[in-house]
Amino acid sequence: MSYFMGIDVGSRTTKGVIAYGSRAKTFHTIFSSNNYREAAEKIREGLLSRARLQAADIAYTAVTGQQLDNLSFPFHKASDTRCCARGVNSLFPEARTVIDVQGQSTQIIRVDEKGKVVNFVVSERCAAGSGRFLEIIANVLRINLEDIGPLSLKSQNPVAFTTSCAVFGESEAISRVAEGTPKEDILAGVHRALAQKISTLIDRVGFEARCAISGGGGLDMGLIKAIEQELGLELLIPQKPELVSALGAAIVAQESKP
Amino acid sequence: MSEKSKGLSKVEEICSQRSGRAKELKDEGKKIMGYFCIYPPLEMLSALDLLPYRILGDMREPITKADACLPTVVCPFDRSALDLGLKGKYDFLDGVVWAHVCEVGEKTAHVWRTYLNPAYFHFIDIPHTIHKPAQNQFVQQLKDFQKTLMSFTGKKLTSEMLAEAINAHNEQRSLVRKLYDLRKPDPPLISGSEVIKTLKAIMSLPVKEGSELLREVISEVGERKDGVPFRPVRLLIWGSIIDDTPLIEMMEELGANVVMDDTCVGSRAFFPDVKLTPDPLEGLAYRYLVDLKCPRTFKESTYGETKKDYLTDLRSRFSYISDYAKEWKVSGVVLQSVRYCDIHGYEVPGLGDYLDSVGLPHTYIEHTYDERSLAPLRTRIQAFLEIIRS
Amino acid sequence: MKDLGEIPPEAPMGGMPKPVLLMSAGSLCDARYKWFQALGRYLDAPVWVLELPHLGVKEGLMEGAYDQAIRFMVEELREFVGFLEKLLGKKMDWDKLEDISNDIIDMNRIWYETNELRKARPCPMHSRDFWTCMTGCLYPAGDLKALKKMYQDLYDEVKYRVENKIAACPNEKYRLVFAELPPWHSLKFFDRLAERGWSFVVESWAYHPPKPIDLSQVKDPLERIAKFTYQWFAGYFEESEKQGEQMGYFGYPYLEYARDWQCDGALLHPLLSCRTATNHLMYVQDRLIQKSNVPSLVASGDIVDLTLFDPEDTLRRAEAFEETMDHYKEVRKKEGLGW
């Protein structure tokens, strides 16, 4: 009997999963605290103790997210695109398109029935296309990240952001606040702008139903609603969207065990 | 269009639904020809009874669709225009004529042709110099353009037809120059934003209707008493395209009247006339290649000069701007460009040196061609106006 | 303002001498001539802008358009010769020009044929060698006879490798086309991809020689130069038109490369500060996948700001992109595309 471990080191949090087959047995999340190697080591310890397993019980590990070398255990460096594809496939075998909204970037992945990557596109390396944009705006509005979604859903009149740049978006948000625009309308406007960016990314790789969301963006109901409206469809939403890549990494560990 | 609105209110009405008149005429059977930038000779379109309709962007509309075709590091105006096209806002055009104004413009032409695939499309190459062989080449380019136009319309384009259209467009140009004369008094009789709107409106109308509208605006503005308020600074604005009013309005709010421009929904597009030549295409080629003043064309003080002197070079390229400044009694020059515009960007240091040499205060601002990104420029402009006033 | 134009004291070999002429061209990117014009701030050297017509595919194929383009270029070159004679106070040595232009044309032909050899499986010559060798043809300087011999030797070597099936990249698993400017600062990056079996078999159109045409019957050396240069664009127009493609250069050549060099994927390298090398890449990506089922991986970078290029990020995506290339290999097979 073999267990496999997947670790996803993100810019904000590090996620880990121990899987048996393609099912998650144990999962765990900690803050990355700007020390990615330490986060990877820590999450491994945390996972083992939670699962009451020994290091020797883990047949192999895959690490994705931040690029790491020289960890204390043998591992496969895995592409987050591949991990995300496998993770979504294990949860929703019917998904053919994945919208993966992470802190630093957003990617659209087309997957086949086996969870293999058919094609993918990553947003430009600028904050406007990622969860970072939401963090910036939340900071301007002085609200917590968790409150973004519920507040945005209350909006009756989302503002139209004319800019596609996060820096200008920030100043646009500031001037909107000064004009007295309700916070929920600003947030819903940001959600809509992100949803439009996502729709454009999908234009570049093509679309096939059904469509799933993953990554931290999948926790944000405001964003989900905006994407569903923009694309005119219902998204497949994992219970723990932020863990999808870690789960996928555990599956990739099985595939790439030397 | 309502019968009673005249002059500036008609301008407002047209700008609020710019394609309205074109669509009306299309229903009556007229063909609408979109053109990009100021280099396609409009006379050739008017002569064949095609309506030349300027393809513009929209700085109030977020760019979304174009993000899939052109990267964010290229001219946001081109991106915006393409975005509107991809969103179907230019679907009423029967054809499109594009010219090789700049490199990004050239590629955007091919992208437009691929994804929007209009029934008629012609790409005119423009040489980079005004050398004699380049002028000949441009005449030949116009001959090829004439060929495809004739086959598209099924009509012959004769010299007489062209001469008539040239006269009509020259007449419109002289009316625009008259309109600009109204900016010379202090305070000016017409504001910078009103001028942009008026020119935008006539870029959407058949040439004669446009001229009629200009006459109405000129007579209305000449008579009105409560026109433009006095503002302490008179500005000239230079640079890449300005096809909407927020930037000008911001300057007005900060205490400056924009009384002159060197931009392409402005004097640059209208000031030079076409000379009637035995082969009208030669006169057209000369006007569009040599007389138009966009920095996309390489010009020097003497053709083939072997000795070069920086100041002489600058004078030959920019003295018209100080002429404008004198005639319109300008107290400062705002150099502005959309981000990522190479041809305007490269012009700025030299133009700045020239303006220093004639003692005209100037400042340079860059924006991303969207309404909201202008806000951070406010303090820059404010500081500039303070420098001029002190 | 002129004091800024000094040669830095630490410049290698004493720096470049002050030029007597700034020769630029309106070809491909606007910075070429606008930059030299702007240099007037620091240098009093005259500027000459060479012309190259940039016709659309359809317009370029109109009756008489080719001949007119050549006539224009020849007239421009003749003006340029007159200008040079005036500037330098000496006469053009037409025999020497004849000799030089023939050498350049010939050299480019050999170099073209060398690159044709790279169509072989496994590919005998890798992109890294292409980037090292392309300068001789693109910026011919020094002893042209020696340079020509270098290209001939290179051709012979590559041919030998083809005949003996010597691969540039051991275990060639994937064949790729690269566009546009390479990350000069990180060429080792290609080696790391080669370790994964990625063989870069062809690259950036603008750096490849034009398709050879027979110019032996053309008497006027200026006309020979014009035809040779314009071929760079025009060489792709007819095929481009046949395929219904509108971007005859910068766009269509990549479709031809992907087909003829049998590429599994493209690696596109957009640059923040070079518009010309960037603005068509999304379009190229789209045409490649739509027309040829060849997917692209985008690795953005810059030639000025090196921090913008993240080789680790691209290497991380490599694994996923291999699945994509595998997928489209199957798709192409199903559609009978032949590679």
Side-chain angles (χ1 to χ4, degrees):
Chain A
M1 164 156 117
S2 299
Y3 293 101
F4 288 89
M5 186 183 286
I7 297 175
D8 174 16
V9 187
S11 55
R12 267 185 89 240
T13 56
T14 293
K15 284 81 59 175
V17 167
I18 292 177
Y20 181 75
S22 64
R23 302 265 302 272
K25 173 182 158 57
T26 309
F27 56 84
H28 187 33
T29 304
I30 59 172
F31 282 105
S32 304
S33 311
N34 290 325
N35 189 339
Y36 301 130
R37 184 176 308 161
E38 199 178 290
E41 299 286 353
K42 259 197 191 157
I43 197 107
R44 178 177 158 90
E45 285 162 27
L47 279 169
L48 287 174
S49 78
R50 276 162 189 253
R52 296 174 200 284
L53 291 172
Q54 304 297 315
D57 297 325
I58 305 297
Y60 200 42
T61 303
V63 180
T64 187
Q66 303 292 330
Q67 199 73 9
L68 293 176
D69 290 297
N70 306 323
L71 294 172
S72 69
F73 51 92
F75 70 102
H76 174 76
K77 263 195 240 180
S79 126
D80 60 350
T81 309
R82 185 178 168 201
C83 293
C84 184
R86 300 293 199 278
V88 167
N89 179 259
S90 75
L91 299 171
F92 304 113
E94 68 274 38
R96 291 293 171 272
T97 308
V98 183
I99 301 168
D100 183 39
V101 184
Q102 304 176 6
Q104 303 290 319
S105 63
T106 294
Q107 55 180 341
I108 308 296
I109 313 169
R110 298 269 311 278
V111 291
D112 68 10
E113 68 287 350
K114 293 188 189 117
K116 293 235 177 203
V117 178
V118 166
N119 204 350
F120 65 99
V121 62
V122 187
S123 62
E124 280 185 61
R125 208 174 313 140
C126 88
S130 69
R132 179 84 188 109
F133 192 19
L134 278 166
E135 287 176 31
I136 291 169
I137 301 299
N139 191 31
V140 169
L141 301 179
R142 299 188 193 292
I143 54 172
N144 293 324
L145 280 179
E146 312 78 75
D147 299 333
I148 292 178
L151 197 54
S152 163
L153 288 175
K154 287 190 194 144
S155 167
Q156 296 297 319
N157 192 17
V159 303
F161 272 78
T162 53
T163 177
S164 52
C165 166
V167 177
F168 290 122
E170 186 179 7
S171 73
E172 189 166 344
I174 292 170
S175 60
R176 295 286 190 182
V177 172
E179 286 164 16
T181 309
K183 287 180 180 182
E184 57 265 34
D185 290 347
I186 297 173
L187 285 174
V190 175
H191 281 140
R192 196 146 82 173
L194 268 174
Q196 279 167 344
K197 283 235 161 214
I198 286 165
S199 162
T200 307
L201 282 174
I202 289 177
D203 283 348
R204 292 177 60 191
V205 281
F207 176 82
E208 197 184 332
R210 292 192 71 193
C211 180
I213 188 165
S214 67
L219 293 166
D220 181 342
M221 285 314 292
L223 179 63
I224 288 171
K225 186 185 155 205
I227 295 172
E228 288 182 336
Q229 275 178 351
E230 181 70 28
L231 302 177
L233 51 78
E234 202 179 314
L235 291 174
L236 298 167
I237 309 163
Q239 263 181 355
K240 297 205 168 289
E242 74 281 15
L243 288 175
V244 168
S245 284
L247 170 63
I251 297 167
V252 169
Q254 276 179 62
E255 292 172 4
S256 38
K257 186 178 180 306
Chain B
M1 196 177 300
S2 61
E3 285 303 311
K4 49 185 188 308
S5 60
K6 282 235 165 214
L8 288 172
S9 53
K10 202 173 189 172
V11 165
E12 285 289 345
E13 208 177 305
I14 294 171
C15 287
S16 69
Q17 180 47 277
R18 196 166 74 93
S19 57
R21 181 62 182 144
K23 286 175 180 162
E24 232 172 70
L25 288 165
K26 189 180 166 82
D27 288 342
E28 292 166 19
K30 199 174 175 90
K31 289 226 174 353
I32 319 299
M33 189 68 78
Y35 67 97
F36 186 80
C37 221
I38 55 173
Y39 278 81
L42 307 185
E43 291 82 350
M44 297 173 72
L45 303 174
S46 296
L48 283 164
D49 200 31
L50 298 162
L51 165 56
Y53 186 92
R54 175 104 182 245
I55 293 174
L56 295 171
D58 182 354
M59 65 194 307
R60 297 166 204 253
E61 161 90 25
I63 296 169
T64 52
K65 290 280 168 202
D67 274 343
C69 315
L70 282 178
T72 48
V73 296
V74 306
C75 172
F77 167 74
D78 275 29
R79 278 165 40 80
S80 173
L82 178 67
D83 191 59
L84 297 182
L86 293 168
K87 285 172 179 162
K89 305 242 166 102
Y90 285 116
D91 282 356
F92 63 95
L93 299 176
D94 293 286
V96 169
V97 50
W98 209 288
H100 176 198
V101 277
C102 58
E103 197 263 336
V104 178
E106 180 202 0
K107 294 229 182 94
T108 311
H110 304 320
V111 171
W112 187 293
R113 196 176 200 166
T114 303
Y115 295 127
L116 293 161
N117 194 22
Y120 171 87
F121 191 101
H122 191 96
F123 180 74
I124 304 173
D125 182 36
I126 318 173
H128 285 97
T129 68
I130 56 171
H131 299 161
K132 197 79 188 96
Q135 293 180 33
N136 293 339
Q137 166 73 0
F138 196 49
V139 173
Q140 296 305 320
Q141 280 292 299
L142 296 188
K143 287 203 167 135
D144 283 350
F145 177 40
Q146 180 179 14
K147 271 190 222 160
T148 63
L149 273 181
M150 292 198 303
S151 91
F152 174 64
T153 55
K155 286 189 214 164
K156 206 170 148 45
L157 178 56
T158 65
S159 295
E160 291 73 36
M161 288 156 80
L162 262 178
E164 201 188 314
I166 288 170
N167 285 332
H169 279 275
N170 278 347
E171 191 194 3
Q172 183 172 86
R173 289 171 187 133
S174 80
L175 288 165
V176 171
R177 291 192 298 266
K178 266 190 197 144
L179 185 77
Y180 272 61
D181 284 341
L182 303 175
R183 307 175 84 173
K184 288 177 179 168
D186 196 22
L189 302 179
I190 182 165
S191 75
S193 349
E194 285 168 335
V195 169
I196 286 191
K197 283 189 212 159
T198 307
L199 298 185
K200 202 167 153 179
I202 65 174
M203 286 173 164
S204 331
L205 299 175
V207 58
K208 289 194 173 148
E209 280 183 33
S211 297
E212 197 41 52
L213 180 62
L214 278 166
R215 281 193 197 91
E216 287 171 18
V217 171
I218 290 167
S219 85
E220 176 189 343
V221 167
E223 284 162 15
R224 70 177 170 180
K225 295 279 176 287
D226 52 348
V228 185
F230 170 81
R231 293 187 177 98
V233 177
R234 294 171 62 86
L235 290 177
L236 182 154
I237 185 158
W238 169 93
S240 63
I241 189 164
I242 300 178
D243 59 1
D244 207 342
T245 53
L247 186 60
I248 311 281
E249 281 161 4
M250 181 199 290
M251 294 177 187
E252 289 170 349
E253 276 169 37
L254 294 171
N257 275 317
V258 176
V259 297
M260 190 48 191
D261 63 68
D262 178 25
T263 57
C264 67
V265 181
S267 70
R268 211 182 263 175
F270 289 96
F271 271 28
D273 274 339
V274 176
K275 283 189 192 66
L276 264 179
T277 45
D279 177 357
L281 291 186
E282 283 181 14
L284 282 173
Y286 193 86
R287 188 262 181 188
Y288 282 89
L289 180 65
V290 182
D291 288 340
L292 284 188
K293 295 216 161 52
C294 177
R296 57 86 50 210
T297 309
F298 176 83
K299 290 178 182 168
E300 55 193 339
S301 62
T302 325
Y303 173 25
E305 62 196 352
T306 51
K307 290 241 172 357
K308 190 174 163 185
D309 167 70
Y310 185 47
L311 260 183
T312 315
D313 178 60
L314 293 181
R315 269 185 215 125
S316 75
R317 283 159 59 201
F318 302 124
S319 64
Y320 71 96
I321 294 177
S322 60
D323 293 345
Y324 287 166
K326 264 179 231 143
E327 268 194 74
W328 275 266
K329 297 187 232 33
V330 162
S331 39
V333 182
V334 175
L335 312 177
Q336 64 81 37
S337 174
V338 290
R339 256 181 126 179
Y340 310 123
C341 176
D342 289 330
I343 53 175
H344 280 92
Y346 276 109
E347 204 82 340
V348 168
L351 178 50
D353 288 343
Y354 173 75
L355 294 173
D356 284 341
S357 78
V358 295
L360 269 170
H362 56 91
T363 189
Y364 174 57
I365 52 174
E366 232 180 50
H367 56 91
T368 55
Y369 189 79
D370 74 64
E371 195 189 4
R372 288 274 163 175
S373 77
L374 298 176
L377 297 174
R378 230 184 145 82
T379 38
R380 297 271 310 277
I381 293 169
Q382 207 160 18
F384 178 57
L385 297 183
E386 273 161 24
I387 290 169
I388 295 176
R389 262 178 276 176
S390 63
Chain C
M1 48 195 97
K2 288 255 152 59
D3 55 343
L4 287 169
E6 291 302 314
I7 294 161
E10 69 277 13
M13 294 187 277
M16 275 171 74
K18 287 226 165 183
V20 289
L21 165 69
L22 294 168
M23 185 176 88
S24 61
S27 52
L28 301 184
C29 81
D30 298 333
R32 268 171 223 280
Y33 63 102
K34 292 307 290 181
W35 171 34
F36 276 20
Q37 186 179 38
L39 270 180
R41 220 170 182 223
Y42 311 114
L43 296 165
D44 274 332
V47 182
W48 185 276
V49 180
L50 286 165
E51 290 278 16
L52 181 62
H54 291 62
L55 305 186
V57 170
K58 286 208 160 64
E59 292 76 12
L61 291 170
M62 283 177 75
E63 204 191 325
Y66 178 84
D67 291 343
Q68 172 56 33
I70 298 300
R71 206 175 309 135
F72 169 41
M73 290 175 74
V74 171
E75 283 171 13
E76 276 291 330
L77 288 172
R78 216 173 299 288
E79 295 266 311
F80 182 49
V81 170
F83 168 78
L84 283 178
E85 289 179 338
K86 203 164 69 172
L87 177 76
L88 303 171
K90 56 177 165 187
K91 286 282 164 200
M92 170 61 80
D93 182 341
W94 290 97
D95 290 337
K96 197 170 172 188
L97 179 68
E98 172 98 21
D99 200 34
I100 289 174
S101 57
N102 287 345
D103 278 342
I104 290 177
I105 290 167
D106 219 28
M107 211 154 78
N108 272 276
R109 180 189 50 76
I110 302 168
W111 181 221
Y112 177 87
E113 284 165 4
T114 309
N115 283 297
E116 288 289 295
L117 292 171
R118 297 169 69 197
K119 289 176 178 170
R121 272 178 191 269
C123 177
M125 184 186 126
H126 189 268
S127 250
R128 262 195 91 153
D129 296 314
F130 174 89
W131 291 114
T132 321
C133 299
M134 61 93 197
T135 41
C137 273
L138 212 56
Y139 311 100
D143 184 341
L144 293 185
K145 305 281 179 216
L147 206 50
K148 200 163 105 180
K149 181 172 181 308
M150 189 282 286
Y151 278 108
Q152 187 60 54
D153 291 349
L154 177 70
Y155 175 86
D156 294 342
E157 185 186 337
V158 176
K159 191 152 189 287
Y160 174 83
R161 292 176 69 98
V162 174
E163 282 159 1
N164 293 281
K165 294 202 172 300
I166 305 171
C169 165
N171 308 320
E172 175 176 292
K173 257 173 92 185
Y174 301 101
R175 296 169 65 90
L176 289 104
V177 48
F178 176 87
E180 285 288 336
L181 286 172
W184 296 113
H185 42 81
S186 318
L187 286 179
K188 215 175 168 328
F189 165 71
F190 285 112
D191 294 348
R192 292 184 61 189
L193 289 171
E195 285 165 18
R196 305 188 63 100
W198 292 31
S199 180
F200 287 87
V201 297
V202 64
E203 51 289 289
S204 315
W205 156 80
Y207 290 82
H208 268 258
K211 293 180 183 178
I213 37 171
D214 180 15
L215 296 167
S216 59
Q217 304 305 311
V218 181
K219 292 216 171 57
D220 179 1
L222 296 183
E223 188 179 329
R224 225 174 295 145
I225 293 171
K227 285 191 162 158
F228 167 76
T229 310
Y230 188 55
Q231 176 66 5
W232 204 25
F233 291 179
Y236 289 95
F237 282 173
E238 270 178 39
E239 266 306 304
S240 191
E241 170 71 5
K242 266 190 222 154
Q243 310 269 336
E245 287 298 311
Q246 309 293 353
M247 205 182 277
Y249 43 91
F250 268 131
Y252 170 71
Y254 290 102
L255 285 178
E256 206 169 291
Y257 288 174
R259 182 192 67 205
D260 296 349
W261 275 259
Q262 306 208 326
C263 297
D264 298 298
L267 179 63
L268 311 178
H269 184 221
L271 306 170
L272 183 67
S273 54
C274 181
R275 251 74 77 186
T276 308
T278 302
N279 50 25
H280 56 292
L281 289 180
M282 286 171 137
Y283 180 80
V284 166
Q285 180 177 15
D286 179 62
R287 301 324 285 160
L288 279 172
I289 196 83
Q290 298 293 341
K291 283 274 177 95
S292 310
N293 284 302
V294 172
S296 304
L297 179 65
V298 180
S300 30
D302 201 50
I303 35 174
V304 181
D305 184 351
L306 307 191
T307 61
L308 290 175
F309 181 67
D310 185 353
E312 292 305 326
D313 183 63
T314 306
L315 289 166
R316 196 158 44 198
R317 309 225 175 264
E319 187 184 54
F321 191 60
E322 284 164 6
E323 289 187 1
T324 299
M325 289 193 284
D326 290 340
H327 172 83
Y328 280 100
K329 191 176 261 178
E330 289 302 313
V331 174
R332 286 194 304 275
K333 207 184 273 173
K334 269 185 215 144
E335 297 196 355
L337 277 172
W339 79 95

